[in-house]
């Protein structure tokens, strides 16, 4: 659940005392849930594997010495960068943007980490080429 659907509810926050109960008192287990697609389920499993320090065969050797917390942070921040995230780069801001935004950012971050550093290098090369000033001069020869 990403929010309480009760009218006039301020929504879920980080200060709740129970994981199954909204701040307004609604039992979140009683609300209608929407199914999570297979791609998002797989992304969640990958993030959990990174966070718990499991051996993950898809993690590039260059990142094998990076700790679990930093790997999860790398996924999140790289995903935010590659998706053009314009808000504050904090987990609370990302989560508050809703499950679709989280899924999009995490999926992009996982792709970038899995192919490290290729996707990030390609993005930067494309961005540099797009922002390079046009050359309006031709080389001349001294006569």
């Amino acid at each position: 659940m990403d929010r309480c659907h009760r009218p006039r509810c301020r929504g879920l926050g980080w200060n709740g005392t129970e994981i199954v109960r909204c701040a307004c008192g609604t039992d979140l287990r009683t609300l209608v849930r929407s199914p999570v697609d297979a791609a998002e389920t797989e992304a969640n499993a990958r993030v959990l594997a990174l966070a718990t320090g499991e051996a993950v065969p898809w993690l590039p050797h260059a990142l094998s010495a990076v700790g679990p917390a930093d790997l999860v942070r790398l996924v999140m921040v790289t995903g935010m960068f590659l998706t053009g995230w314009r808000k504050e780069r904090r987990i609370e801001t990302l989560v508050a943007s809703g499950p679709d935004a989280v899924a999009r950012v995490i999926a992009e971050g996982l792709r970038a980490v899995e192919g490290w550093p290729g996707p990030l290098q390609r993005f930067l090369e494309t961005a540099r080429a797009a922002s390079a000033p046009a050359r309006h001069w031709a080389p001349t020869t001294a006569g």
Side-chain angles (χ1 to χ4, degrees), residues 11 17 23 25 51 58 62 102 105 109 112 114 141:
T17 57
W58 53 268
V102 172
V105 165
E114 184 174 6
T141 57

Side-chain angles (χ1 to χ4, degrees), residues 6-82:
R6 188 171 174 187
R8 294 187 297 274
C9 178
R10 294 178 312 186
L12 302 177
W14 291 93
N15 58 352
T17 57
E18 289 186 65
I19 195 165
V20 296
R21 195 163 301 284
C22 180
C24 72
T26 302
D27 185 339
L28 299 174
R29 297 171 292 187
T30 64
L31 300 176
V32 176
R33 296 177 294 273
S34 58
V36 177
D37 65 24
E40 192 171 339
T41 302
E42 173 66 20
N44 289 338
R46 285 177 167 228
V47 170
L48 181 61
L50 289 175
T52 58
E54 287 180 30
V56 287
W58 53 268
L59 187 67
H61 180 71
L63 298 175
S64 62
V66 178
D70 289 332
L71 284 171
V72 172
R73 193 173 302 117
L74 180 64
V75 166
M76 183 190 75
V77 173
T78 305
M80 288 174 155
F81 178 72
L82 293 173

Side-chain angles (χ1 to χ4, degrees), residues 104-124:
R104 192 170 40 257
V105 165
I106 296 301
E108 196 64 37
L110 284 168
R111 275 192 289 280
V113 167
E114 184 174 6
W116 190 263
L120 191 56
Q121 285 177 332
R122 284 190 293 281
F123 175 83
L124 293 173

